Amino acid sequence: MSAAFPKEPVKASNFLRNIIERDLQTPNTQIRTRFPPEPNGYLHIGHAKSICLNFGLAAEYGGHCHLRFDDTNPEKEEQEYVDAIVEMVHWLGFDWGAHLYYASDYFDVMYRAAEALIERGLAYVDEQSAEQIRATRGDFATPGTASPFRDRAPAENLARFREMRDARHPDGAMVLRARIDMASPNINLRDPTLYRIRRAHHHNTGDRWCIYPMYTYAHPIEDAIERITHSFCTLEFEDQRPFYDWLLEKLAQAGLFEHPLPRQYEFGRLNLTHVMTSKRKLKALVEQSLVSGWDDPRMPTLAGLRRRGYTPQSIRKMADDSGASKTNIWLDHHVLDFALREHLDGDVVRAMAVLEPLPLVLDNWAEVFGGQAHREPCRAPVHPQRPELGTRGCELGPRVWIEREDFAEVPPEGLFRLFPGNKVRLKYGVVVECTGCEKNARGEVAAVHARVVPDTKSGTAGADAVKVKGTITWVAAHDAVAAEVRLFEHLFSAEQPD
Ligand code: ATP
Ligand code: MG
């Protein structure tokens, strides 16, 4: 009897998947998620995690994922960012079909929802200053103090709110607040602000509005309008969930939305060592010209990672392997590098290159091969693990370039590379024995000398007659091509630069 092994690769633990599977037990459930970036900067590696979760889970369970620009804040948002975000989500390999939305397209619904709350005594216009509101909110130990405007009649609140909308009051003169509970142990429920006056030009709605909804008010409404089933967000919104539920429940009671309402679930943020994942901080680097732009190859933006050579597959793999959990995680940069290597390793054809070249002179070349002009053809596999891709040819000559670090005059213990008296194999070529080196006026090694050990060519009968412990890469001086290679270090030397 043969044992059955699961064919599916083991998936990283992901509690969001369990939640979806539970909810799919209810008949006629269609999974609908969204990725809701604020267009105030370029996407970074942390967003990739959210993109892979939202688009990935929706696809896995036959649902849809919306791309929604959360553009409720007029001051920091720009078309350049919208375009860059669209490009990068596509580059990662995801598609939203017809489901591209802008939160600002819902400003009318948000406004009507605010009036509905006011009419039900669930919101009021507060004319206290921002400092007063902050000062009377209380803290963990002390309950908040009610505003003198808290018990104003709905009709009066409605009139005031319309005046706010009609630009009859200066910026900051008053705000609309929810009327929930000034003594709630959750400070987010102590009459949070819903709308503020801000005379600012909006990239989508222009100058049509001078009042703008707060993010925490807008987001649940956006989800409800789009009939999102699972609203996945990062842990910092956990304390906002009671308000999310309160708001949608009240608006459902007012007849604006129908059950089932969207539900919010929080997962841990992904952080990468040696970089920062905050658009605000990355923007500061760009604005202060500390990097060459949002796509500087050292930046943890998706645009920067793409320029540096990371593939979408490697980023998706890293995101998927990191699963979803209830804690923020720090991933070492090597995890991303490893994911890239794993992806490229299977497909990419091989070639030899030397980054810090040092000449190696094979002094007995003419003697072994019958003339200095002889070129010895060598064959190497196109891919070491995929013989079906065939072989490639290259030529060995009397002078080759080797990597400077592959030679040492006095070898450190355990070095299997070139040092006087030692033999190594030139990869896919012959075995050579080091005889010494030349130095320049500064005392640095300028060239290494060696002898070809006859009858040791790779692939011939005698190749294994001489055993060597080291094999080094090389390129022949007569057919090497110069190349520019850019080596990037970490953006920050500190592991957690935040
Ligand atoms: P930033 O602080 O960089 O601006 P943000 O959370 O404000 O991040 P948004 O544009 O609001 O940026 O993010 C869109 C989505 O991506 C949100 O659902 C957010 O929770 C998620 N997200 C942002 N950063 C990370 C991260 N480091 N790990 C996982 N998800 C993230
Ligand atoms: Mg944000």
Side-chain angles (χ1 to χ4, degrees):
M1 202 184 91
S2 69
F5 289 103
K7 291 229 170 54
E8 283 278 288
V10 179
K11 285 178 176 152
S13 114
N14 181 332
F15 72 99
L16 301 176
R17 188 175 277 127
N18 302 342
I19 290 169
I20 290 181
E21 286 178 4
R22 177 201 69 196
D23 294 347
L24 280 172
Q25 313 267 311
T26 310
N28 302 323
T29 305
Q30 251 268 351
I31 301 303
R32 224 171 251 281
T33 59
R34 85 286 171 268
F35 172 62
E38 188 183 351
N40 61 348
Y42 279 54
L43 297 179
H44 52 62
I45 187 78
H47 293 116
K49 165 112 197 166
S50 174
I51 294 169
C52 292
L53 276 177
N54 280 297
F55 281 95
L57 289 172
E60 198 177 324
Y61 292 100
H64 292 289
C65 179
H66 300 180
L67 176 61
R68 180 204 306 150
F69 287 103
D70 219 322
D71 57 352
T72 49
N73 184 350
E75 273 137 351
K76 295 183 269 167
E77 295 159 1
E78 285 175 32
Q79 188 62 37
E80 178 200 346
Y81 299 140
V82 170
D83 297 340
I85 290 170
V86 161
E87 188 187 345
M88 279 303 135
V89 181
H90 268 150
W91 177 72
L92 267 188
F94 297 107
D95 194 58
W96 44 89
H99 298 290
L100 175 67
Y101 303 106
Y102 289 85
S104 55
D105 285 340
Y106 310 141
F107 280 164
D108 284 306
V109 182
M110 293 173 193
Y111 179 83
R112 281 204 305 280
E115 288 207 346
L117 293 176
I118 294 170
E119 282 160 5
R120 283 162 183 76
L122 298 169
Y124 61 99
V125 172
D126 194 344
E127 295 179 36
Q128 294 185 106
S129 67
E131 296 79 68
Q132 281 170 320
I133 291 178
R134 211 172 305 123
T136 51
R137 192 156 275 163
D139 54 30
F140 286 109
T142 353
T145 322
S147 160
F149 300 94
R150 194 170 197 265
D151 293 323
R152 244 185 347 199
E156 205 181 326
N157 280 316
L158 200 56
R160 271 279 187 285
F161 186 52
R162 288 177 179 170
E163 287 169 17
M164 281 172 65
R165 176 198 61 190
D166 297 338
R168 304 263 305 278
H169 300 285
D171 287 12
M174 53 193 71
V175 296
L176 183 72
R177 292 177 76 176
R179 193 168 182 281
I180 309 180
D181 178 5
M182 287 306 289
S184 171
N186 183 338
I187 294 180
N188 298 298
L189 292 180
R190 294 184 190 170
D191 295 7
T193 299
L194 308 182
Y195 264 95
R196 66 215 158 106
I197 308 173
R198 190 74 89 242
R199 284 171 177 76
H201 187 81
H202 188 280
H203 81 110
N204 184 23
T205 56
D207 295 316
R208 197 172 144 229
W209 295 91
C210 71
I211 54 170
Y212 288 97
M214 303 301 289
Y215 178 84
T216 44
Y217 170 74
H219 201 85
I221 296 179
E222 295 157 21
D223 286 344
I225 291 172
E226 294 177 18
R227 303 202 66 86
I228 298 301
T229 51
H230 297 77
S231 179
F232 299 132
C233 62
T234 34
L235 281 181
E236 67 271 22
F237 293 102
E238 192 163 18
D239 293 343
Q240 292 287 354
R241 185 167 10 105
F243 175 69
Y244 185 105
D245 292 338
W246 178 91
L247 179 65
L248 292 187
E249 191 55 50
K250 298 298 178 199
L251 294 177
Q253 286 166 13
L256 269 85
F257 299 121
E258 276 169 33
H259 285 273
L261 296 166
R263 297 291 304 273
Q264 173 182 306
Y265 303 94
E266 309 84 20
F267 64 91
R269 286 178 87 90
L270 178 132
N271 302 295
L272 202 60
T273 58
H274 301 290
V275 293
M276 297 178 304
T277 45
S278 152
K279 275 181 277 168
R280 190 172 50 80
K281 290 175 189 166
L282 295 175
K283 191 174 183 182
L285 296 177
V286 174
E287 282 174 350
Q288 293 168 34
S289 300
L290 293 169
V291 292
S292 66
W294 284 99
D295 67 346
D296 186 303
R298 295 163 301 176
M299 290 278 272
T301 51
L302 297 180
L305 291 168
R306 175 174 70 175
R307 211 173 138 196
R308 188 165 167 159
Y310 288 92
T311 57
Q313 290 89 335
S314 62
I315 295 173
R316 291 205 307 262
K317 171 135 181 40
M318 182 225 55
D320 290 345
D321 286 355
S322 65
S325 68
K326 271 286 188 186
T327 45
N328 293 329
I329 54 166
W330 275 94
L331 269 196
D332 194 277
H333 215 287
H334 290 126
V335 176
L336 184 55
D337 295 344
F338 186 77
L340 179 64
R341 260 194 211 106
E342 209 178 69
H343 171 225
L344 294 182
D345 188 52
D347 292 334
V348 171
V349 300
R350 306 304 209 257
M352 288 198 280
V354 166
L355 296 188
E356 235 190 296
L358 180 64
L360 171 70
V361 185
L362 302 174
D363 293 308
N364 63 342
W365 184 266
E367 209 177 295
V368 172
F369 291 110
Q372 194 66 4
H374 175 82
R375 298 291 176 257
E376 183 65 13
C378 303
R379 297 227 59 91
V382 167
H383 190 292
Q385 282 86 45
R386 294 177 60 187
E388 75 276 15
L389 295 180
T391 59
R392 62 194 155 99
C394 58
E395 278 181 354
L396 188 59
R399 285 180 74 89
V400 300
W401 298 105
I402 61 168
E403 206 63 76
R404 183 166 283 274
E405 65 171 28
D406 279 342
F407 171 78
E409 230 185 327
V410 183
E413 190 150 358
L415 183 92
F416 297 133
R417 289 173 274 189
L418 273 185
F419 54 87
N422 192 39
K423 295 192 189 79
V424 301
R425 175 172 296 281
L426 297 180
K427 199 169 190 180
Y428 308 122
V430 297
V431 173
V432 298
E433 178 175 1
C434 183
T435 52
C437 66
E438 284 167 44
K439 297 211 176 149
N440 63 19
R442 289 189 301 274
E444 300 155 347
V445 175
V448 178
H449 287 265
R451 300 176 51 251
V452 173
V453 180
D455 303 323
T456 54
K457 185 146 154 245
S458 296
T460 63
D464 291 331
V466 180
K467 295 276 177 223
V468 291
K469 285 189 172 160
T471 298
I472 64 175
T473 50
W474 54 277
V475 294
H478 72 272
D479 70 354
V481 180
E484 181 179 332
V485 175
R486 299 179 186 181
L487 300 176
F488 294 103
E489 258 304 330
H490 294 311
L491 184 54
F492 290 94
S493 51
E495 262 197 18
Q496 300 190 359
D498 265 345

